[in-house]
Amino acid sequence: MSSELEKLKRKCEEEVKNSPNAESFNGIRIKYLGRKGELTKILRSLKDLPFEERKKIGQQANILKKELEDLISGKEKELSTSNFQFPTSNFDITKPGKKISRGHFHPLTKIDEEVRQIFTSMNFSVVEGPEAETEFYNFDALNIPSNHPARDVWDTLWIKNPKSEILNPKQISKLKFQNSKLLLRAHTSPMQIRYMENHNPPFQIIVPGRVFRYEATDASHEINFYQVEGLMVGPAVTLANFKFVVEEFFQRFFGRQVEFRYKPSYFPFVEPGLEVEVKLGGKWLEVMGAGMVHRKVFDAVRYNPGQVQGFAFGMGLDRLAMLKYNVPDIRLFYSGDLRFIKQF
Ligand code: PHE
């Protein structure tokens, strides 16, 4: 090939190689193969050459033309399909890459998962129940009759719906039928009743779930939040068993030795009732309500209180998350603010 064609070929190849993107190929095509392009110029100048030489160089130039055409279109196609940006002169490979943000679990989901794990490792089963409950399960069966002052403790959101349809009046007690007015459960304790109605002791369960309260919100109150209920019933389950289970749980949950304090308290569905406090950062904090299952509760589910006994507890999942992650305001969990969520 004539040295001039050779040079042209190399120049064009170089330019194609350094082309930053698919768009720049049109320019190259015009520059070399266009009507006034460099190769076209050579082809035009052939007419001044002697016949033999004209024939030889003409052939070579036509082959080269085809080659360059293929080279340009090939590269062009490659770049436009791979969407790859060729490094331009100011491309800096030492710059840190762009951070790709990935989705992850909400802090409350993480705490929920952790609580389930610790309890299942202690042989507890996890069960869940309905968020729309009846008055009977949320109150009456838990020894909180309509006229009981303790009902005020659970500021309740009632549902404007006369009766729950799940209940068949022929199969259930009069009270259960009468008090089947729907509400949003104010605690997870109604699942104690639902579970015991369908299972026989011995058993140990936890019930994580969302609960609702008709309350003004502030840094420590939300209209909905999460609780974890615990219930263990058997022929000889005692407060000592309860102590072991909760202390084991909190020890593992906080990942270190914590101090405990038990205070007498009152809930209509336990006797005796107590509150568990843990010492964190030098301060005593209430983390759980609990007690031995009241015999009226066993009556409601037709267990024989002379044959079984057990403990129950309830704790706020949000509260645990706030303590573990040092979150000052419960409302942050429900704010949907990514600046908050992304920290976990
Ligand atoms: N249900 C109680 C509450 O919401 C907590 C609790 C559960 C207390 C079980 C004792 C036993 O405050």
Side-chain angles (χ1 to χ4, degrees):
M1 202 188 293
S2 85
S3 65
E4 218 173 324
L5 287 178
E6 198 84 59
K7 236 165 67 196
L8 192 73
K9 183 181 174 188
R10 254 180 284 126
K11 214 169 99 187
C12 182
E13 278 172 353
E14 191 71 14
E15 220 165 305
V16 167
K17 206 171 95 190
N18 293 331
S19 231
N21 51 47
E23 284 69 51
S24 50
F25 288 106
N26 247 344
I28 299 177
R29 197 174 275 121
I30 292 168
K31 183 170 168 193
Y32 291 94
L33 307 170
R35 256 185 327 117
K36 291 181 181 153
E38 300 198 21
L39 186 63
T40 322
K41 249 190 258 166
I42 294 177
L43 281 167
R44 288 227 175 94
S45 66
L46 291 180
K47 63 180 189 316
D48 306 327
L49 294 176
F51 176 74
E52 278 304 318
E53 217 168 319
R54 187 172 4 154
K55 196 174 149 194
K56 201 176 107 203
I57 298 188
Q59 261 172 4
Q60 287 176 349
N62 276 322
I63 291 172
L64 180 62
K65 188 176 171 185
K66 176 94 180 46
E67 263 178 32
L68 294 185
E69 190 63 73
D70 290 349
L71 176 75
I72 294 169
S73 337
K75 207 68 192 182
E76 185 176 39
K77 207 158 144 204
E78 193 183 307
L79 282 191
S80 60
T81 50
S82 71
N83 202 14
F84 175 74
Q85 296 277 308
F86 242 74
T88 53
S89 48
N90 56 8
F91 181 81
D92 180 359
I93 60 161
T94 64
K95 267 190 187 164
K98 265 195 198 143
K99 197 173 171 211
I100 296 169
S101 67
R102 288 197 288 170
H104 61 85
F105 290 117
H106 189 279
L108 289 179
T109 312
K110 285 190 178 175
I111 296 289
D112 177 68
E113 192 50 46
E114 209 172 321
V115 170
R116 286 171 189 246
Q117 223 161 46
I118 297 174
F119 277 106
T120 46
S121 80
M122 290 195 276
N123 219 14
F124 276 68
S125 310
V126 181
V127 296
E128 293 183 19
E131 289 173 359
E133 257 302 356
T134 70
E135 181 179 6
F136 174 80
Y137 284 105
N138 194 81
F139 290 123
D140 301 276
L142 288 164
N143 192 28
I144 322 170
S146 307
N147 59 0
H148 200 293
R151 278 208 179 188
D152 296 348
V153 175
W154 294 275
D155 309 276
T156 309
L157 285 153
W158 295 90
I159 294 175
K160 274 191 196 153
N161 172 349
K163 297 279 167 189
S164 159
E165 285 155 27
I166 337 161
L167 301 174
N168 176 350
K170 288 209 184 95
Q171 289 170 2
I172 59 175
S173 71
K174 204 172 148 214
L175 184 66
K176 198 165 173 178
F177 183 65
Q178 273 168 358
N179 288 355
S180 61
K181 216 168 115 191
L182 285 175
L183 48 78
L184 291 175
R185 66 175 172 195
H187 50 176
T188 42
S189 302
M191 261 313 276
Q192 290 187 27
I193 307 298
R194 285 188 183 274
Y195 190 83
M196 289 193 281
E197 278 181 336
N198 294 313
H199 298 83
N200 286 320
F203 62 78
Q204 53 278 336
I205 55 162
I206 57 159
V207 189
R210 188 181 184 187
V211 301
F212 307 81
R213 303 265 169 104
Y214 182 56
E215 286 184 316
T217 61
D218 63 27
S220 50
H221 294 89
E222 250 298 352
I223 54 160
N224 71 179
F225 54 98
Y226 289 82
Q227 280 191 337
V228 181
E229 192 81 8
L231 179 67
M232 180 168 185
V233 179
V237 176
T238 66
L239 262 188
N241 298 132
F242 167 72
K243 243 184 118 205
F244 173 81
V245 169
V246 279
E247 294 189 5
E248 178 74 13
F249 167 73
F250 282 114
Q251 225 85 274
R252 280 162 69 174
F253 180 78
F254 288 113
R256 60 189 143 97
Q257 287 297 118
V258 274
E259 274 183 75
F260 295 91
R261 191 160 85 174
Y262 297 85
K263 283 183 153 183
S265 184
Y266 175 73
F267 303 94
F269 36 94
V270 288
E271 180 59 37
L274 50 106
E275 253 157 39
V276 182
E277 294 188 344
V278 295
K279 200 174 190 178
L280 283 173
K283 267 197 281 184
W284 285 105
L285 300 158
E286 189 207 321
V287 284
M288 173 182 273
M292 296 302 288
V293 179
H294 199 289
R295 62 175 301 148
K296 287 258 178 86
V297 173
F298 286 143
D299 283 342
V301 298
R302 306 217 164 88
Y303 279 8
N304 182 345
Q307 281 172 3
V308 289
Q309 53 188 43
F311 64 77
F313 61 80
M315 55 184 172
L317 208 89
D318 306 62
R319 191 77 196 284
L320 293 186
M322 287 168 82
L323 294 175
K324 187 149 183 166
Y325 294 134
N326 258 318
V327 175
D329 193 321
I330 187 174
R331 291 169 294 190
L332 285 166
F333 292 126
Y334 305 94
S335 63
D337 190 334
L338 288 179
R339 290 170 305 176
F340 171 72
I341 304 294
K342 278 184 174 164
Q343 295 174 51
F344 298 92

